[in-house]
Amino acid sequence: MGPDGWVWSSFGLLLALLGARAWVVETGQTGLGRTPGRVRILTGACALAAALVVTAVAANGGARLAYLLLHPEEAVAEQEARKDAEEAARKAAEDAAERAARPPAAPAVPGAAPPAVPAP
């Protein structure tokens, strides 16, 4: 499972636990002021799942984002390098399209005279 898989799995777990907790709270038959043990256990599990989601997101890219916010000169250098690479790729694609659009050169016939060069 890739890094994105951990984020989505932990998020799905959090949603399932929140749903279970809501169901237990809504269907519980307790008096006012009392919290059943099942609700307390599910609340703790929800807190742990939320911590897992935050950790997975931080490990997946949040830590990198925080680093780049603290070191903006590296962020700018990475952005410029990415822009230069995209420009080089665009230029290479344009050159390839131009070469493809040119008519092919006439094949050389053995024993034939080379084409005449016009005089200036």
Side-chain angles (χ1 to χ4, degrees), residues 1 10-11 17 20 26 29-30 36-37 42 47 49 55 59 76 94 97 99 107 110 112 114-115:
M1 181 182 310
S10 60
F11 186 64
L17 286 171
E26 291 297 322
Q29 300 294 325
T30 60
L42 285 170
T55 302
V76 170
E94 286 177 359
R99 280 193 302 271

Side-chain angles (χ1 to χ4, degrees), residues 19-118:
R21 182 186 180 282
W23 182 78
V24 168
V25 167
E26 291 297 322
T27 60
Q29 300 294 325
T30 60
L32 291 175
R34 292 205 64 226
T35 302
R38 288 185 290 177
V39 173
R40 279 189 238 129
I41 290 171
L42 285 170
T43 301
C46 288
L48 290 175
L52 180 64
V53 169
V54 169
T55 302
V57 167
N60 193 33
R64 180 73 178 147
L65 174 63
Y67 177 79
L68 290 175
L69 288 174
L70 294 174
H71 302 92
E73 58 279 347
E74 287 187 27
V76 170
E78 284 183 15
Q79 185 178 15
E80 288 176 355
R82 189 176 307 119
K83 190 185 333 177
D84 291 343
E86 289 173 357
E87 179 66 25
R90 185 189 61 77
K91 179 71 171 144
E94 286 177 359
D95 291 345
E98 184 180 314
R99 280 193 302 271
R102 268 191 250 146
V109 177
V117 177

